[in-house]
Amino acid sequence: MARQPKMDTIETPDLGHLDSEQTENLNNQSVTGRADDRSGKPISEFMPVSHDGKEFTIKKKKDDSKQPIDGETMNEEFSTKSTRDAKNRGPLDHMEQGVLVNGSYIARKTVIKFLLIVLGIIIFVLFFIPPSFTPNKSECSCRYEDIFAEKGASQYKTDIMSTGYVYNIDAMSSDVSESYRICTVAFDVNNFLPIELQLKDFAVASGGDFKDHIVYVYVDNDAKTIAAMEKKTVKVNILINKAGLSEGEFDRAITSLRLTTKGMKKLGVIPCIPGFMKVSDEISFDPNVK
């Protein structure tokens, strides 16, 4: 059996001892050409290259935005964009930043708005809300005075019209002092705020059941000063014409009254919302007192 050739048995030809066939093949090779694998003939010509643009295309520049980026690049771009956006938003967006309140984030402008409302309420209460008035039954009374002793009825009417808060001057239908009584009603004024309060006078807000008999109201002094966080009793005098009233009607004429403050101020200069108070119906007044 013929032996199969092996790779290690192949030897390069000895150029000094070539046979005639090897010599002829070597001489037929061209220095600039290459042998065709099938024919053994040299190839001396090449196919011309076409440049009509159909054999190749120009690749477009790659879009970097579609390329995957690593975490560091992404963080850098996000940080740069956030800084740029923050500059573009300006100071207005600063108010949109969250503030931690009781475990929840609330917009800064919402917190500031809430604080301004609370501050406004505090200022309103301090400077404009009136004190509380509580009837003081133990200080109430009724008395008789000869109001026409020093001056006649006409002069008396003229004086009170110019100095007092007259509710119904027509109630002075009698020229006899015996027809009139001065009833004193007392109120405890509770100034629960840290600001001094001045009470100038009182007036009738509602005349009650027998308003045709109520002449006017007044306080003994021109002003009552109530210090901060202080409680003071203020007495209000009511001039009433008792003519034609029974004892029960006389009582109701006083106890059905509703009074209001006049010229009340805080710190001596800030006008305050008027306070209102009703005379207690538990008080009894004697029209026959002398």
Side-chain angles (χ1 to χ4, degrees):
M1 180 180 295
R3 297 179 60 184
Q4 297 294 330
K6 297 181 180 180
M7 292 296 296
D8 57 358
T9 60
I10 298 175
E11 298 178 356
T12 58
D14 187 358
L15 296 180
H17 298 81
L18 298 178
D19 56 22
S20 60
E21 183 179 357
Q22 291 174 333
T23 301
E24 182 181 357
N25 290 334
L26 182 62
N27 291 334
N28 289 333
Q29 299 295 326
S30 172
V31 177
T32 60
R34 63 180 180 83
D36 184 88
D37 292 337
R38 294 170 295 176
S39 64
K41 295 181 179 182
I43 300 175
S44 59
E45 295 182 358
F46 297 92
M47 294 295 293
V49 178
S50 174
H51 297 283
D52 57 4
K54 297 181 180 179
E55 283 75 12
F56 64 92
T57 58
I58 300 176
K59 293 184 179 181
K60 295 182 179 181
K61 183 180 180 180
K62 294 182 180 180
D63 187 357
D64 294 338
S65 63
K66 297 181 180 180
Q67 299 300 319
I69 54 179
D70 55 23
E72 182 177 355
T73 305
M74 181 182 295
N75 183 47
E76 180 179 356
E77 290 183 358
F78 179 78
S79 176
T80 303
K81 184 177 183 301
S82 299
T83 303
R84 183 172 60 252
D85 291 344
K87 292 180 179 179
N88 293 335
R89 285 195 299 266
L92 291 180
D93 281 359
H94 179 69
M95 305 301 292
E96 298 289 349
Q97 295 180 0
V99 178
L100 186 61
V101 179
N102 292 332
S104 301
Y105 281 95
I106 302 176
R108 190 184 301 273
K109 68 177 182 180
T110 302
V111 175
I112 294 176
K113 185 184 297 184
F114 173 77
L115 293 178
L116 289 176
I117 292 174
V118 172
L119 180 61
I121 293 175
I122 293 174
I123 294 175
F124 180 78
V125 171
L126 283 176
F127 294 102
F128 301 104
I129 292 297
S132 64
F133 296 85
T134 306
N136 187 328
K137 295 181 290 184
S138 63
E139 297 291 335
C140 295
S141 63
C142 188
R143 70 182 185 272
Y144 165 75
E145 288 184 5
D146 187 359
I147 59 175
F148 302 139
E150 297 180 0
K151 59 188 72 173
S154 297
Q155 184 62 43
Y156 187 83
K157 290 180 182 179
T158 302
D159 290 346
I160 64 173
M161 287 292 291
S162 61
T163 59
Y165 291 96
V166 176
Y167 175 70
N168 182 14
I169 194 63
D170 294 334
M172 296 197 70
S173 57
S174 174
D175 295 336
V176 180
S177 295
E178 179 65 28
S179 300
Y180 301 94
R181 295 293 183 271
I182 298 175
C183 297
T184 300
V185 294
F187 298 93
D188 290 332
V189 184
N190 299 280
N191 184 16
F192 52 87
L193 298 176
I195 296 178
E196 185 180 84
L197 176 71
Q198 287 81 35
L199 295 173
K200 183 178 180 181
D201 215 326
F202 288 78
V204 176
S206 175
D209 297 340
F210 299 93
K211 59 184 180 180
D212 293 338
H213 290 260
I214 306 299
V215 182
Y216 74 101
V217 300
Y218 64 97
V219 292
D220 291 332
N221 299 321
D222 291 337
K224 293 286 185 180
T225 300
I226 303 173
M229 312 301 289
E230 183 185 38
K231 176 181 177 180
K232 180 180 286 189
T233 301
V234 177
K235 295 180 180 180
V236 182
N237 299 310
I238 303 169
L239 181 64
I240 179 173
N241 185 350
K242 76 179 186 69
L245 297 177
S246 66
E247 292 186 9
E249 291 172 340
F250 183 84
D251 262 348
R252 292 205 311 275
I254 302 299
T255 59
S256 62
L257 285 175
R258 187 175 179 84
L259 307 179
T260 182
T261 59
K262 299 294 290 187
M264 184 166 59
K265 296 181 179 181
K266 292 189 177 182
L267 299 178
V269 294
I270 303 175
C272 180
I273 296 175
F276 293 88
M277 61 228 71
K278 187 180 182 304
V279 182
S280 175
D281 55 8
E282 298 179 1
I283 304 172
S284 179
F285 299 92
D286 184 5
N288 300 315
V289 66
K290 291 294 187 177

